[in-house]
Amino acid sequence: MWYSRMALRRLQRIAVTPRNITGALTSSVQREMSSLPRVYVTRQIPPEGLKILRESGQVQFELWDSDDVPVPRKELLQKVKGVDGLLCVLTEKIDAELLDAAGPNLKVLSTMSVGFDHLSLEELKKRLTYSACVCVFFCRGIRVGYTPDVLTDSVAELTVALLLTTSRRLIEATHEAKTGGWGTWRTLWLCGYELANSTVGILGLGRIGVAIAERLAPFKVKKFIYTDVAPRPELASVINAEYVSLDELAKQSDFLTVCCALTPETKEICNKNLFSKMKNTSIFINTSRGGVVNQDDLYKALSTGQIAGAGLDVTVPEPLPTSHPLFTLKNCVILPHIASASYTTRNAMSALAANNLLLGLQGEPMIKGLEL
């Protein structure tokens, strides 16, 4: 269901509010810290989340005390041994190796992200078999929390900013002004493409896609179109968007923004087949996941003029090596995965991740949990 702006703000308030979980402080005073559930936090998350963990009295936790460098894999595999809960970010690959290293005590995984392609969902719900004298069957039974919704506004804002920056060639213009290229006024110099009377296509219509369209509508966009695994009439009605096939999305869009999750079905869905159908005046924007784009095909489409420009907040790999060919193109704007990077949003994400973790360890329903 689509969240109204009021409902979204309410969720953000809920996310940053410490959960009033039964026995949080009183019981913790009465028992030794060593008996509390053990939690490992893989990053120095924003302060709201750490505050909730510290003040809960529910857990003893250790964290990788850095926000600049991810925890080395070897150390991560050591630190998760025997933990009851794990709070991670999208840089950590949660796979069979890590889950086996953690062992059977691990009951809750909370990720500070809306995407969960870094989690092996099959492994998290896998039925395992161990054999001693007899076979013993058990399921991992790990509960998973994530942090959608609270980042909708910031991602939508960044997407619009990236779209305008790319279509109006602002990075090129700034470079020319700084390096002496700003000469006499010229009639077509640094001309770009405007939103007025345009068709905007959305690949993957969810809350973020709707929020992007709402922000673009005041620019006098003529029409919104979208494609998804199936029509989404309730969401589409909010922005008066028309459902079309992927081919039609490519053919009709003056601006095509990608908002879908990375799944086996969407991996490299934006490839030469899609780019070949787009207008040579089209602008391509991706703020979802880098894996939905075939970057070699995108480079060819941009370098040959098959499409006019691209703005990317996500790439494969991340960070993208500075020697990558996409960086040589003036018509490609690349950002370092900052769509949710506002103080408000990142704190709300960390708080929601912390609350999901605590609720999960108490056996209570998470605020936002995945059904495995």
Side-chain angles (χ1 to χ4, degrees), residues 317-361:
E318 292 183 358
L320 192 67
T322 56
S323 59
H324 195 280
L326 284 172
F327 279 121
T328 67
L329 301 176
K330 290 183 178 181
N331 58 344
C332 187
V333 177
I334 301 174
L335 303 179
H337 202 152
I338 59 168
S340 65
S342 76
Y343 291 111
T344 299
T345 291
R346 290 288 173 84
N347 268 296
M349 290 173 69
S350 72
L352 180 53
N355 282 322
N356 278 338
L357 179 78
L358 295 176
L359 287 164
L361 288 171

Side-chain angles (χ1 to χ4, degrees), residues 12 24 36 126 141 150 186 195 227 267 314 325 347 371:
Q12 289 178 326
L36 293 174
K126 191 173 184 180
V150 293
R186 283 163 274 177
L195 281 158
T227 195
K267 183 175 172 59
V314 286
N347 268 296
E371 296 293 333

Side-chain angles (χ1 to χ4, degrees), residues 2-214:
W2 176 72
Y3 284 86
S4 67
R5 196 168 306 282
M6 184 177 295
L8 202 55
R9 293 303 183 197
R10 179 175 177 272
L11 178 59
Q12 289 178 326
R13 290 195 298 273
I14 291 172
V16 300
T17 302
R19 309 311 298 163
N20 185 21
I21 302 170
T22 303
L25 294 176
T26 304
S27 63
S28 68
V29 174
Q30 299 171 350
R31 57 185 173 170
E32 296 294 328
M33 282 294 294
S34 60
S35 67
L36 293 174
R38 288 180 53 224
V39 169
Y40 188 69
V41 183
T42 68
R43 189 66 66 92
Q44 186 186 69
I45 61 173
E48 289 290 348
L50 289 177
K51 180 181 178 183
I52 288 169
L53 291 179
R54 288 194 179 103
E55 295 183 356
S56 71
Q58 287 285 327
V59 295
Q60 51 176 324
F61 72 92
E62 183 181 0
L63 79 160
W64 174 252
D65 198 13
S66 172
D67 192 31
D68 297 322
V69 181
V71 55
R73 179 73 174 183
K74 184 176 180 180
E75 178 159 351
L76 178 60
L77 293 175
Q78 288 294 321
K79 292 295 184 181
V80 299
K81 288 183 177 179
V83 298
D84 301 280
L86 181 64
L87 197 161
C88 70
V89 296
L90 54 79
T91 54
E92 277 68 68
K93 186 174 179 60
I94 310 302
D95 55 10
E97 180 186 36
L98 185 139
L99 295 174
D100 288 343
N105 283 351
L106 182 61
K107 294 296 184 289
V108 179
L109 170 67
S110 180
T111 180
M112 187 184 134
S113 63
V114 62
F116 41 85
D117 47 280
H118 59 298
L119 311 180
S120 175
L121 300 184
E122 287 302 315
E123 287 295 334
L124 285 163
K125 64 182 179 181
K126 191 173 184 180
R127 185 174 177 86
L128 302 179
T129 305
Y130 281 85
S131 179
C133 296
V134 294
C135 290
V136 179
F137 297 91
F138 71 95
C139 294
R140 292 195 196 273
I142 299 171
R143 301 179 64 190
V144 179
Y146 70 133
T147 60
D149 305 338
V150 293
L151 49 64
T152 298
D153 285 338
S154 61
V155 173
E157 288 177 6
L158 189 280
T159 303
V160 173
L162 181 56
L163 186 153
L164 291 170
T165 297
T166 304
S167 64
R168 296 304 300 269
R169 303 171 64 180
L170 300 188
I171 302 300
E172 288 182 72
T174 300
H175 177 77
E176 293 295 326
K178 285 182 177 179
T179 58
W182 186 0
T184 185
W185 186 87
R186 283 163 274 177
T187 57
L188 292 177
W189 186 55
L190 289 174
C191 281
Y193 300 93
E194 59 189 59
L195 281 158
N197 298 311
S198 69
T199 295
V200 172
I202 301 169
L203 176 51
L205 186 66
R207 292 177 296 272
I208 291 174
V210 169
I212 291 168
E214 288 181 320

Side-chain angles (χ1 to χ4, degrees), residues 309-321:
L312 310 175
D313 183 51
V314 286
T315 59
V316 177
E318 292 183 358
L320 192 67

